Amino acid sequence: MSAFIEQLPTLLGVAVGALGSYLAIVRGDRARFRRERTAHWEERRLSLYADYARALKRTVSLTYRVASHLGNDPHPHPLSPEEAAPHMAEALDARDPVGEALLMLGSPDVVDRARQWVVAVMEMERFLETRVRDPDAWADLLNRQRAARERYYVAVRGDLALPPGHSGRWILEPPPPGS
């Protein structure tokens, strides 16, 4: 019996060591699982945010072309409202499922900014339905849409903890004289 008692501290040390190793491994696995899950959903949200922006931008591009046809925008490829109608319907159909996914996965701030952007785009669409020629009113709508888009991207970057990015406003310089 005395041999067992002499070995008891060693056995307890092995048992405590084994238990400690097990707990450290379990804790490390849980932490890795949480990190991987967070990374997975951040990747999904980034993809979703980009898909939503592309879907909405498709509508915006079509509105530029129709506005050009109506004399409100300098877009180089005008498109009549009749020619644009099926493309606008496709763009709307593509936008709806992405918008629903955005409601499920997006942060409240990003969803709110997305709503503001889509409302600005819808105002552009309503303006074009009137078939009015008013380049100044169109320019105001464009500025509001661009500001809403910029706020959406700022919210996306904030949600994903990305550094600040470009505003997306491209200033086109006139060609130098003699070019």
CSV table of all heavy atoms in Angstrom, one decimal, residues 50-84:
chain,number,residue,atom,x,y,z
A,50,ALA,N,-21.7,43.8,-51.6
A,50,ALA,CA,-21.3,44.1,-53.0
A,50,ALA,C,-22.3,43.7,-54.0
A,50,ALA,O,-22.6,44.4,-55.0
A,50,ALA,CB,-20.0,43.3,-53.3
A,51,ASP,N,-23.0,42.5,-53.8
A,51,ASP,CA,-24.1,42.1,-54.7
A,51,ASP,C,-25.2,43.2,-54.7
A,51,ASP,O,-25.8,43.5,-55.8
A,51,ASP,CB,-24.7,40.8,-54.3
A,51,ASP,CG,-23.7,39.6,-54.6
A,51,ASP,OD1,-22.7,39.8,-55.3
A,51,ASP,OD2,-24.0,38.5,-54.1
A,52,TYR,N,-25.6,43.7,-53.6
A,52,TYR,CA,-26.6,44.7,-53.5
A,52,TYR,C,-26.2,46.0,-54.2
A,52,TYR,O,-27.0,46.5,-55.0
A,52,TYR,CB,-27.0,45.0,-52.0
A,52,TYR,CG,-28.1,46.0,-51.9
A,52,TYR,CD1,-29.4,45.6,-52.0
A,52,TYR,CD2,-27.9,47.4,-51.7
A,52,TYR,CE1,-30.5,46.5,-52.0
A,52,TYR,CE2,-28.9,48.3,-51.6
A,52,TYR,CZ,-30.2,47.8,-51.7
A,52,TYR,OH,-31.2,48.7,-51.7
A,53,ALA,N,-25.0,46.4,-54.0
A,53,ALA,CA,-24.5,47.6,-54.7
A,53,ALA,C,-24.5,47.4,-56.2
A,53,ALA,O,-24.9,48.3,-57.0
A,53,ALA,CB,-23.1,47.9,-54.2
A,54,ARG,N,-24.1,46.2,-56.7
A,54,ARG,CA,-24.1,45.9,-58.1
A,54,ARG,C,-25.5,45.9,-58.7
A,54,ARG,O,-25.8,46.5,-59.8
A,54,ARG,CB,-23.4,44.6,-58.4
A,54,ARG,CG,-21.9,44.7,-58.6
A,54,ARG,CD,-21.3,43.4,-59.2
A,54,ARG,NE,-21.5,42.2,-58.3
A,54,ARG,CZ,-20.7,41.9,-57.3
A,54,ARG,NH1,-19.7,42.7,-57.0
A,54,ARG,NH2,-21.0,40.9,-56.5
A,55,ALA,N,-26.4,45.3,-58.0
A,55,ALA,CA,-27.8,45.3,-58.4
A,55,ALA,C,-28.4,46.7,-58.5
A,55,ALA,O,-29.1,47.0,-59.5
A,55,ALA,CB,-28.7,44.4,-57.5
A,56,LEU,N,-28.1,47.5,-57.5
A,56,LEU,CA,-28.7,48.9,-57.5
A,56,LEU,C,-28.0,49.7,-58.6
A,56,LEU,O,-28.6,50.5,-59.3
A,56,LEU,CB,-28.5,49.5,-56.1
A,56,LEU,CG,-29.4,50.6,-55.8
A,56,LEU,CD1,-30.9,50.3,-56.1
A,56,LEU,CD2,-29.3,51.0,-54.4
A,57,LYS,N,-26.7,49.5,-58.7
A,57,LYS,CA,-25.9,50.3,-59.7
A,57,LYS,C,-26.4,50.0,-61.1
A,57,LYS,O,-26.3,50.8,-62.0
A,57,LYS,CB,-24.4,50.0,-59.6
A,57,LYS,CG,-23.5,50.9,-60.4
A,57,LYS,CD,-23.6,52.3,-60.0
A,57,LYS,CE,-22.6,53.1,-60.8
A,57,LYS,NZ,-22.9,54.5,-60.9
A,58,ARG,N,-26.9,48.8,-61.4
A,58,ARG,CA,-27.4,48.4,-62.7
A,58,ARG,C,-28.6,49.3,-63.0
A,58,ARG,O,-28.7,49.8,-64.1
A,58,ARG,CB,-27.8,46.9,-62.7
A,58,ARG,CG,-28.3,46.5,-64.1
A,58,ARG,CD,-28.4,45.0,-64.1
A,58,ARG,NE,-28.9,44.6,-65.4
A,58,ARG,CZ,-29.7,43.6,-65.7
A,58,ARG,NH1,-30.1,42.8,-64.7
A,58,ARG,NH2,-30.2,43.3,-66.9
A,59,THR,N,-29.5,49.5,-62.1
A,59,THR,CA,-30.6,50.4,-62.3
A,59,THR,C,-30.1,51.8,-62.5
A,59,THR,O,-30.7,52.5,-63.4
A,59,THR,CB,-31.6,50.3,-61.0
A,59,THR,OG1,-32.0,49.0,-60.8
A,59,THR,CG2,-32.8,51.2,-61.2
A,60,VAL,N,-29.2,52.2,-61.7
A,60,VAL,CA,-28.7,53.6,-61.8
A,60,VAL,C,-28.1,53.8,-63.2
A,60,VAL,O,-28.4,54.9,-63.8
A,60,VAL,CB,-27.6,53.9,-60.7
A,60,VAL,CG1,-26.9,55.2,-61.0
A,60,VAL,CG2,-28.2,53.9,-59.3
A,61,SER,N,-27.3,52.9,-63.7
A,61,SER,CA,-26.8,53.0,-65.1
A,61,SER,C,-27.9,53.1,-66.1
A,61,SER,O,-27.7,53.9,-67.1
A,61,SER,CB,-25.9,51.8,-65.4
A,61,SER,OG,-24.7,51.8,-64.5
A,62,LEU,N,-28.9,52.4,-66.0
A,62,LEU,CA,-30.0,52.5,-66.9
A,62,LEU,C,-30.7,53.8,-66.8
A,62,LEU,O,-31.1,54.4,-67.9
A,62,LEU,CB,-31.0,51.3,-66.7
A,62,LEU,CG,-30.5,49.9,-67.1
A,62,LEU,CD1,-31.4,48.9,-66.5
A,62,LEU,CD2,-30.5,49.8,-68.6
A,63,THR,N,-30.8,54.3,-65.6
A,63,THR,CA,-31.5,55.6,-65.5
A,63,THR,C,-30.6,56.7,-66.2
A,63,THR,O,-31.2,57.7,-66.8
A,63,THR,CB,-31.8,56.0,-64.0
A,63,THR,OG1,-30.6,56.1,-63.3
A,63,THR,CG2,-32.7,55.0,-63.4
A,64,TYR,N,-29.3,56.6,-66.1
A,64,TYR,CA,-28.4,57.6,-66.7
A,64,TYR,C,-28.7,57.6,-68.2
A,64,TYR,O,-28.8,58.6,-68.9
A,64,TYR,CB,-27.0,57.3,-66.6
A,64,TYR,CG,-26.4,57.5,-65.2
A,64,TYR,CD1,-25.1,57.0,-64.9
A,64,TYR,CD2,-27.0,58.2,-64.2
A,64,TYR,CE1,-24.5,57.1,-63.7
A,64,TYR,CE2,-26.5,58.3,-62.9
A,64,TYR,CZ,-25.2,57.8,-62.7
A,64,TYR,OH,-24.6,58.0,-61.5
A,65,ARG,N,-28.8,56.4,-68.8
A,65,ARG,CA,-29.0,56.3,-70.2
A,65,ARG,C,-30.4,56.8,-70.7
A,65,ARG,O,-30.5,57.5,-71.7
A,65,ARG,CB,-28.9,54.8,-70.7
A,65,ARG,CG,-27.4,54.3,-70.5
A,65,ARG,CD,-27.2,52.9,-70.9
A,65,ARG,NE,-27.4,52.8,-72.3
A,65,ARG,CZ,-27.5,51.7,-73.0
A,65,ARG,NH1,-27.4,50.5,-72.3
A,65,ARG,NH2,-27.6,51.7,-74.3
A,66,VAL,N,-31.4,56.5,-69.9
A,66,VAL,CA,-32.8,57.0,-70.2
A,66,VAL,C,-32.8,58.6,-70.1
A,66,VAL,O,-33.3,59.3,-70.9
A,66,VAL,CB,-33.8,56.4,-69.4
A,66,VAL,CG1,-35.2,57.0,-69.6
A,66,VAL,CG2,-33.9,54.9,-69.7
A,67,ALA,N,-32.1,59.1,-69.0
A,67,ALA,CA,-32.1,60.5,-68.8
A,67,ALA,C,-31.3,61.2,-70.0
A,67,ALA,O,-31.7,62.3,-70.4
A,67,ALA,CB,-31.4,60.8,-67.5
A,68,SER,N,-30.3,60.5,-70.5
A,68,SER,CA,-29.6,61.0,-71.7
A,68,SER,C,-30.6,61.1,-72.9
A,68,SER,O,-30.6,62.1,-73.6
A,68,SER,CB,-28.4,60.1,-72.0
A,68,SER,OG,-27.8,60.6,-73.2
A,69,HIS,N,-31.4,60.1,-73.1
A,69,HIS,CA,-32.3,60.1,-74.2
A,69,HIS,C,-33.3,61.3,-74.0
A,69,HIS,O,-33.7,61.9,-75.0
A,69,HIS,CB,-33.1,58.8,-74.2
A,69,HIS,CG,-34.2,58.7,-75.2
A,69,HIS,ND1,-33.9,58.4,-76.6
A,69,HIS,CD2,-35.5,58.9,-75.2
A,69,HIS,CE1,-35.0,58.5,-77.2
A,69,HIS,NE2,-36.0,58.8,-76.4
A,70,LEU,N,-33.7,61.6,-72.8
A,70,LEU,CA,-34.6,62.7,-72.5
A,70,LEU,C,-34.0,64.0,-72.5
A,70,LEU,O,-34.6,65.1,-72.3
A,70,LEU,CB,-35.4,62.4,-71.2
A,70,LEU,CG,-36.2,61.1,-71.2
A,70,LEU,CD1,-36.8,60.9,-69.8
A,70,LEU,CD2,-37.3,61.2,-72.2
A,71,GLY,N,-32.6,64.1,-72.6
A,71,GLY,CA,-31.9,65.4,-72.7
A,71,GLY,C,-31.5,65.9,-71.3
A,71,GLY,O,-31.2,67.1,-71.2
A,72,ASN,N,-31.5,65.0,-70.3
A,72,ASN,CA,-31.2,65.4,-68.9
A,72,ASN,C,-29.8,65.1,-68.5
A,72,ASN,O,-29.3,65.6,-67.5
A,72,ASN,CB,-32.2,64.8,-67.9
A,72,ASN,CG,-33.5,65.4,-68.1
A,72,ASN,OD1,-33.7,66.6,-68.2
A,72,ASN,ND2,-34.5,64.6,-68.2
A,73,ASP,N,-29.1,64.2,-69.2
A,73,ASP,CA,-27.8,63.6,-68.8
A,73,ASP,C,-26.9,63.5,-70.0
A,73,ASP,O,-27.3,63.2,-71.1
A,73,ASP,CB,-28.0,62.2,-68.2
A,73,ASP,CG,-26.8,61.7,-67.4
A,73,ASP,OD1,-25.9,61.2,-68.0
A,73,ASP,OD2,-26.8,61.9,-66.2
A,74,PRO,N,-25.6,63.8,-69.8
A,74,PRO,CA,-24.7,63.7,-70.9
A,74,PRO,C,-24.2,62.3,-71.2
A,74,PRO,O,-23.2,62.1,-72.0
A,74,PRO,CB,-23.5,64.6,-70.5
A,74,PRO,CG,-23.5,64.4,-69.0
A,74,PRO,CD,-24.9,64.3,-68.6
A,75,HIS,N,-24.8,61.2,-70.7
A,75,HIS,CA,-24.4,59.9,-70.9
A,75,HIS,C,-24.2,59.6,-72.4
A,75,HIS,O,-25.1,60.0,-73.2
A,75,HIS,CB,-25.3,58.9,-70.3
A,75,HIS,CG,-24.8,57.5,-70.2
A,75,HIS,ND1,-24.7,56.6,-71.3
A,75,HIS,CD2,-24.3,56.8,-69.2
A,75,HIS,CE1,-24.1,55.5,-70.9
A,75,HIS,NE2,-23.9,55.5,-69.7
A,76,PRO,N,-23.1,59.0,-72.9
A,76,PRO,CA,-22.9,58.9,-74.3
A,76,PRO,C,-23.7,57.8,-75.0
A,76,PRO,O,-23.7,57.7,-76.2
A,76,PRO,CB,-21.4,58.5,-74.4
A,76,PRO,CG,-21.1,57.8,-73.1
A,76,PRO,CD,-22.0,58.5,-72.1
A,77,HIS,N,-24.5,57.0,-74.2
A,77,HIS,CA,-25.2,55.9,-74.9
A,77,HIS,C,-26.7,56.0,-74.4
A,77,HIS,O,-27.2,55.3,-73.6
A,77,HIS,CB,-24.7,54.5,-74.5
A,77,HIS,CG,-23.2,54.4,-74.8
A,77,HIS,ND1,-22.8,54.3,-76.1
A,77,HIS,CD2,-22.1,54.4,-74.0
A,77,HIS,CE1,-21.4,54.2,-76.1
A,77,HIS,NE2,-21.0,54.3,-74.8
A,78,PRO,N,-27.4,56.9,-75.1
A,78,PRO,CA,-28.8,57.1,-74.7
A,78,PRO,C,-29.7,55.9,-75.0
A,78,PRO,O,-29.3,55.1,-75.9
A,78,PRO,CB,-29.3,58.3,-75.5
A,78,PRO,CG,-28.3,58.6,-76.5
A,78,PRO,CD,-27.0,57.8,-76.1
A,79,LEU,N,-30.7,55.7,-74.2
A,79,LEU,CA,-31.6,54.6,-74.3
A,79,LEU,C,-33.0,55.1,-74.1
A,79,LEU,O,-33.3,55.8,-73.1
A,79,LEU,CB,-31.3,53.5,-73.3
A,79,LEU,CG,-31.9,52.2,-73.4
A,79,LEU,CD1,-31.5,51.4,-74.7
A,79,LEU,CD2,-31.5,51.3,-72.2
A,80,SER,N,-33.9,54.8,-75.1
A,80,SER,CA,-35.3,55.3,-74.9
A,80,SER,C,-36.0,54.6,-73.7
A,80,SER,O,-35.6,53.4,-73.4
A,80,SER,CB,-36.1,55.1,-76.2
A,80,SER,OG,-36.4,53.7,-76.3
A,81,PRO,N,-37.0,55.2,-73.1
A,81,PRO,CA,-37.7,54.5,-72.1
A,81,PRO,C,-38.3,53.2,-72.5
A,81,PRO,O,-38.3,52.2,-71.7
A,81,PRO,CB,-38.8,55.5,-71.7
A,81,PRO,CG,-38.3,56.9,-72.1
A,81,PRO,CD,-37.4,56.6,-73.3
A,82,GLU,N,-38.7,53.1,-73.7
A,82,GLU,CA,-39.3,51.8,-74.2
A,82,GLU,C,-38.3,50.7,-74.3
A,82,GLU,O,-38.5,49.6,-74.0
A,82,GLU,CB,-40.0,52.1,-75.6
A,82,GLU,CG,-41.2,53.0,-75.6
A,82,GLU,CD,-40.8,54.5,-75.4
A,82,GLU,OE1,-39.7,54.9,-75.8
A,82,GLU,OE2,-41.7,55.2,-74.9
A,83,GLU,N,-37.1,51.1,-74.8
A,83,GLU,CA,-36.0,50.1,-74.9
A,83,GLU,C,-35.5,49.7,-73.5
A,83,GLU,O,-35.1,48.6,-73.3
A,83,GLU,CB,-34.8,50.7,-75.7
A,83,GLU,CG,-35.1,50.9,-77.2
A,83,GLU,CD,-34.0,51.6,-77.9
A,83,GLU,OE1,-33.6,52.7,-77.4
A,83,GLU,OE2,-33.5,51.1,-78.9
A,84,ALA,N,-35.5,50.7,-72.6
A,84,ALA,CA,-35.0,50.4,-71.3
A,84,ALA,C,-36.0,49.6,-70.4
A,84,ALA,O,-35.5,49.0,-69.4
A,84,ALA,CB,-34.7,51.8,-70.6
